[in-house]
Amino acid sequence: MASPDRVAAVAELKERFSNSDAVVLTNYRGLSVAELKQLRRDLGQHATYAVTKNTLTKIAAKEAGIEGLDDQLLGPTAIAFITGDVASVAKGLKNFAKDNPLLELKGGYMDGRVLDASEVSKLADLESREVLLAKLAGGMQGSLQKAVQLFNAPLAQAARALGALQAKAEADPSALAGAGSTDQDTTDAAAAANTDDAADAADAAN
């Protein structure tokens, strides 16, 4: 019969596997206690770095529905259980390994598949979640500004812009096939509406 401590350890590992967005397995042989503490600080709030026993880890992983890690569970093992920005944690591990060659990346698991050491290293080369979101927001800003300008335009001008888009779509259905062309069409239509307004104003003055 398994001891209560063993059962509790497996249950804790299973919970960590189940609640993690990704895990990275490492060989920490030769690292001092102080170096391990520094690594935990470097990884920050997005990961829990824990030294584990291979036999218990195999059991916990299988109970969590994770298969294929047995080949990586050889020798001293410490696992980074990642909940959050996977790229930044992988980058932290890779950078620490550069300064401390005794830390070896074994591999990992993410999105239902086992990763080898090279794939974990590639994760470290990705931009962080914050940077990607900032780029996405920047890319959307131009389109949002165009939409705001159209919505804030006088009703008659907006109606003309939308009418121009409809007419163009009827003449050439492919004009609205892509998001990029739609943004340009909206801009062109709004410009056309402004030109029509200017012409109407000139006629009224005459």
Side-chain angles (χ1 to χ4, degrees), residues 17-31:
F17 274 117
S18 299
N19 294 333
S20 296
D21 297 314
V23 298
V24 176
L25 283 69
T26 67
N27 185 332
Y28 68 96
R29 187 196 301 273
L31 292 178

Side-chain angles (χ1 to χ4, degrees), residues 34-170:
E35 288 169 334
L36 288 173
K37 285 183 177 179
Q38 182 59 52
L39 175 55
R40 289 187 176 98
R41 285 195 293 268
D42 291 348
L43 296 182
Q45 62 181 357
H46 294 298
T48 299
Y49 189 72
V51 174
T52 64
K53 292 184 177 180
N54 291 334
T55 53
L56 302 184
T57 303
K58 290 178 182 179
I59 296 171
K62 289 179 180 177
E63 290 187 0
I66 297 175
E67 300 284 348
L69 292 180
D70 287 6
D71 291 343
Q72 298 180 9
L73 291 170
L74 300 172
T77 302
I79 303 177
F81 294 95
I82 306 171
T83 53
D85 193 335
V86 175
S88 68
V89 175
K91 194 184 302 293
L93 287 166
K94 184 176 180 179
N95 290 339
F96 188 90
K98 286 181 181 178
D99 298 331
N100 302 271
L102 292 176
L103 181 72
E104 174 192 354
L105 299 179
K106 293 183 177 184
Y109 187 89
M110 185 177 72
D111 292 338
R113 61 184 296 266
V114 175
L115 309 176
D116 61 26
S118 65
E119 289 173 315
V120 172
S121 183
K122 289 177 183 177
L123 283 177
D125 296 331
L126 297 176
E127 293 177 316
S128 69
R129 180 174 180 272
E130 288 75 12
V131 172
L132 291 174
L133 287 174
K135 286 189 173 182
L136 177 61
M140 292 176 61
Q141 186 175 5
S143 296
L144 289 174
Q145 287 177 341
K146 292 176 184 177
V148 169
Q149 290 171 358
L150 178 60
F151 292 144
N152 287 339
L155 183 59
Q157 179 180 334
R160 285 177 180 166
L162 294 174
L165 279 177
Q166 181 180 357
K168 184 165 186 174
E170 290 174 351

